[in-house]
Amino acid sequence: MAASLAAEMAQRAVRALEQRGPTRHGSGFTCDLSPAELVAIEAAGCEPLELVMGSAIWHVGFQMLPSWSSGGEITQLSQAMYGAREAAMRRMEREAASVGADGIVGVRISIDFHRWGAGLAEFSTVGTAIRSRSRRASLRTPRGSVFTSDLSGQDLWTLLRTGYRPLGLVMGSCVYISSRQSVGAWLGSRTRNVELTNLTEGMYTARELAMERMDREARSYGADGIVGVKLTERAHAWGNRVIEFLALGTAVHRWTDQIDAAPPSMVLPLDR
Amino acid sequence: MTGDPRRAWGSTLSVAELAAIRSCGFRPVGQVMGSCVHQFWPGIYGTGMYGGAGIMGGGLYGGYSLTQELPEYAGALRRARRLALDRMSAEAAGAHGVVGVRLNLRRVDVGASVIEFTALGTAVQADGLTPEPGFRPFLSLLSGTDFARLLRSGYVPCGVVMGVCALWVASGWRTAMQLGSWYGQEVQQYSEAAMRARDLAMASLRRDMAEVSADGAVGGDVTMEIHEWEGGRGPEHMVEFLSLGTAVTRFFDGPARDDLPHPVIRLT
C-alpha cells in the first residue's frame, strides 16, 4: 500500500471514531475469534453473531468395577462422560439457534475434575455462533439444525472452498480400566523382555470403541467424512489404571464438486 | 504525550508490528501505562473470601437460600479496571489510540482481597492528522499485526470491554442428596449457576460495548473460576466469570476483491 493510501486509511478510521453515533444496547456481535479468524470468516461470506457457551456439572457416580484381574470398560463412566459433554453441547447449540445462527465455529470442550469439589466434574463448551450473510447460502445442516465444529475461521474458509461443509462435532468416549496380571504371570514375566499382551489388547479395544462410537455419530449425521480427528487419553481423577479414550472430530459432507480455489501459492517466511 | 518529533518514541512493538501499523498509516508516539490497586470490601459476605476462615465460611451467609450475585466483588474489578485504563488514556492524551494493551489482573493479597490492574500499551497517531481536543483515544488489546488485519478488513478498535459476574451458589437439599448418591447424574443447581454467571457477565460486556458504540467485540478471552470452601452445611461455591475483549467499529464495508486473503503453503 502506498504511503498516501495508508494515511488515507488511518484518517478514515479516526474520522469514523469521531463521528460515530450511539448504538443500540444489545446490538453488535461478540466473539472469541482472533482478527485473522474474523477476516477469514467474513471472506467466507459469514458474520459472527455471539459467543455461545454451555455448561454441565455432573456428579460422577460409583460403579462396581469389572473383576479385578480381567479389566474392561466402565460403562457407567463412559456414559456419564459422553452424556455430560452432550448436555453442554446441546445447551450451546440451543443458544446459537436462538440468535439465528447457521453454526458454531472454534468449539472448545473442557473438563475440570477439581474446582467444584470431590466427585464433581464440570464440562463446558464455548464457541462463536456465525451466520451466512446471504440467506440463500445458509450453512445449516441438511436437516436444518445448527452445525458445530472445532475448526478455526481459517479452516472453515478453506473447507468451504474445497467443496465440503461442516455438519457437527462428533465424539466417542470409552473409559477403560486396565487389567492386572495374575500373580503367576507376573512372577513368570517380570524379569523378561516381553509384550504385555493383555494390556495391549485392552488399550487397543478401548481406542477402537471410542473411534467406533465417533464414526457411528458421524454416520447418523449423514457425513461423508470426519476431519481433524483427535484421539486423547486421559486419566482424569481415577488413578492411573482408569483411562478415558476420547475421539473428537468434525463431520463434513460434500456439497459441491467445484473447488473454488486458486491453487495455494508457496511462501518462504523470513522469520524464524 | 504529543509525539514531539525531537524525542525518540518508546514502544513494546516488535518490528513486524511496527511495519504492520505503518502500512495502515499509523505511527507510534510512545509507551503509556496506567495502574490501580484496589481493595475489595465484601460487606457482610465476610473477609475470608478464599480461605473459608472468615465470616463467609463461618455461616453469616446462611440467610442465602438462593443463588445470587455478589455485586461488591464485580464492582471492585470493574472500578479497578476502569481507573487503570483511564490513567493510561490520560497518558496517551494527544494520540489517537493505544494498541497492544496488556491488561494484567493480579491478586496482591488474597486474604485481604486486594487486586491490582495494570495496563501497558503503545500510543499511536494517524499520519497527517492531529486529534481534536477532547478526542478519547481508542484502546485495543490486540497486537500491532492484529490491529492492521482489522483495519484492512474494515474495522477499527474503539475500546476495551469487560464482562464480569461473581455469583454465590446456593446448595439446596436436592443438591445435597445428589452429591451423596451412588448414581452418576447432573447437579442442576450448579449447572444453572454456571450458565447464569455467564449470562450476567455477557450482559455486562454488552453494556460496555454500548457505552463505546461498538459494532462488535473480538478476541473475547473467557475465564471462569470457581472458589470452593467448606461451609457450615457442606461445600460452598462462588463462581467468578470474567471476559475481556476489544470492541470494534465498522468504518468501511470489507476489503476490495483483490485484497481478499489468498491461500499459501508455508515452506517452513
Side-chain angles (χ1 to χ4, degrees):
Chain A
M1 209 180 297
S4 61
L5 272 176
E8 195 190 311
M9 174 178 273
Q11 289 164 12
R12 268 174 85 186
V14 168
R15 284 212 191 87
L17 285 177
E18 284 167 349
Q19 288 158 6
R20 85 209 128 114
T23 51
R24 200 165 43 83
H25 174 65
S27 69
F29 63 85
T30 55
C31 67
D32 65 348
L33 301 172
S34 69
E37 285 186 280
L38 180 67
V39 173
I41 284 197
E42 295 203 332
C46 299
E47 58 187 354
L49 296 174
E50 190 147 307
L51 189 63
V52 287
M53 277 169 262
S55 284
I57 289 126
W58 223 262
H59 168 64
V60 182
F62 177 82
Q63 177 181 345
M64 291 299 288
L65 299 178
S67 89
W68 192 74
S69 60
S70 70
E73 183 179 7
I74 309 179
T75 46
Q76 195 180 340
L77 279 182
S78 292
Q79 280 161 12
M81 299 297 286
Y82 183 85
R85 278 195 197 92
E86 196 66 1
M89 288 283 288
R90 292 292 94 83
R91 279 168 199 162
M92 181 179 69
E93 283 170 30
R94 249 201 324 270
E95 224 174 87
S98 75
V99 294
D102 285 352
I104 310 171
V105 293
V107 173
R108 295 188 304 281
I109 302 183
S110 57
I111 309 176
D112 192 293
F113 270 90
H114 304 290
R115 54 196 201 171
W116 285 90
L120 286 171
E122 179 197 355
F123 297 80
S124 42
T125 55
V126 54
T128 297
I130 64 162
R131 178 172 63 190
S132 165
R133 282 232 177 81
S134 119
R135 287 287 79 197
R136 282 189 304 127
S138 168
L139 289 177
R140 286 210 171 194
T141 64
R143 288 179 202 163
S145 58
V146 168
F147 79 80
T148 52
S149 83
D150 59 352
L151 303 174
S152 67
Q154 292 91 321
D155 281 346
L156 179 75
W157 182 82
T158 315
L159 187 73
L160 291 177
R161 287 172 65 118
T162 319
Y164 288 94
R165 280 185 179 174
L167 288 173
L169 196 62
V170 287
M171 59 193 166
S173 166
C174 177
V175 181
Y176 192 85
I177 180 162
S178 56
S179 62
R180 287 233 170 108
Q181 287 178 292
S182 68
V183 177
W186 182 72
L187 281 176
S189 69
R190 71 179 174 133
T191 53
R192 284 188 292 145
N193 245 336
V194 288
E195 178 181 11
L196 302 175
T197 41
N198 51 352
L199 281 182
T200 306
E201 271 166 32
M203 301 285 187
Y204 212 108
T205 315
R207 257 182 227 114
E208 286 287 353
L209 278 171
M211 297 212 279
E212 199 179 291
R213 283 168 192 165
M214 178 184 69
D215 283 346
R216 204 180 310 147
E217 207 177 307
R219 274 201 300 279
S220 78
Y221 277 112
D224 290 325
I226 310 172
V227 294
V229 173
K230 287 180 240 1
L231 189 63
T232 53
E233 302 169 13
R234 277 174 70 189
H236 293 290
W238 311 306
N240 55 11
R241 279 182 66 212
V242 181
I243 298 173
E244 186 201 19
F245 294 86
L246 175 71
L248 193 74
T250 296
V252 297
H253 79 127
R254 188 163 195 106
W255 64 286
T256 171
D257 282 331
Q258 252 183 358
I259 297 180
D260 168 33
S265 45
M266 294 199 278
V267 292
L268 183 64
L270 295 178
D271 50 358
R272 269 174 294 179
Chain B
M1 176 153 317
T2 49
D4 183 346
R6 287 162 303 178
R7 257 187 60 200
W9 43 266
S11 86
T12 54
L13 299 175
S14 67
V15 173
E17 287 181 277
L18 175 65
I21 285 173
R22 291 297 299 135
S23 80
C24 300
F26 282 91
R27 66 194 150 85
V29 288
Q31 201 166 306
V32 286
M33 203 259 291
S35 90
C36 171
V37 180
H38 202 286
Q39 177 172 279
F40 150 57
W41 171 241
I44 64 156
Y45 307 120
T47 49
M49 199 66 184
Y50 306 97
I55 307 168
M56 198 168 191
L60 253 193
Y61 59 82
Y64 297 171
S65 52
L66 290 172
T67 294
Q68 57 183 279
E69 274 191 270
L70 305 176
E72 288 84 356
Y73 186 67
L77 281 178
R78 295 191 74 79
R79 188 150 178 274
R81 190 250 350 203
R82 181 167 296 240
L83 285 170
L85 288 179
D86 282 354
R87 282 167 195 161
M88 189 180 68
S89 285
E91 276 195 20
H96 283 115
V98 185
V99 299
V101 174
R102 260 163 260 168
L103 193 56
N104 267 325
L105 168 63
R106 196 162 65 94
R107 293 173 210 281
V108 177
D109 179 351
V110 168
S113 306
V114 176
I115 51 172
E116 184 193 22
F117 256 112
T118 47
L120 180 70
T122 302
V124 296
Q125 202 165 19
D127 283 342
L129 209 61
T130 40
E132 290 179 12
F135 179 81
R136 273 185 71 84
F138 66 81
L139 308 180
S140 158
L141 296 172
L142 305 166
S143 69
T145 28
D146 277 345
F147 174 73
R149 283 192 185 104
L150 267 187
L151 243 72
R152 283 174 161 228
S153 57
Y155 291 103
V156 57
C158 59
V160 171
V161 285
M162 181 164 98
V164 60
C165 173
L167 201 68
W168 183 85
V169 185
S171 305
W173 60 269
R174 188 160 163 228
T175 298
M177 271 180 56
Q178 285 177 321
L179 295 182
S181 166
W182 279 33
Y183 296 101
Q185 57 193 295
E186 180 170 14
V187 187
Q188 283 92 352
Q189 217 164 12
Y190 291 173
S191 295
E192 278 159 22
M195 297 288 280
R196 194 168 139 211
R198 197 287 313 263
D199 283 349
L200 290 168
M202 291 309 277
S204 82
L205 184 87
R206 290 257 180 207
R207 280 198 293 279
D208 265 19
M209 284 169 63
E211 211 171 285
V212 292
S213 307
D215 290 328
V218 296
D221 175 28
V222 183
T223 53
M224 184 160 86
E225 277 184 51
I226 288 108
H227 305 289
E228 193 206 13
W229 63 92
E230 226 23 71
R233 288 177 303 182
E236 303 283 330
H237 295 97
M238 185 188 87
V239 180
E240 180 192 328
F241 200 99
L242 187 70
S243 93
L244 268 176
T246 300
V248 295
T249 297
R250 184 124 227 172
F251 76 101
F252 71 86
D253 273 335
R257 188 75 209 163
D258 57 345
D259 208 15
L260 282 175
H262 57 269
V264 296
I265 297 174
R266 284 173 66 103
L267 291 182
T268 51

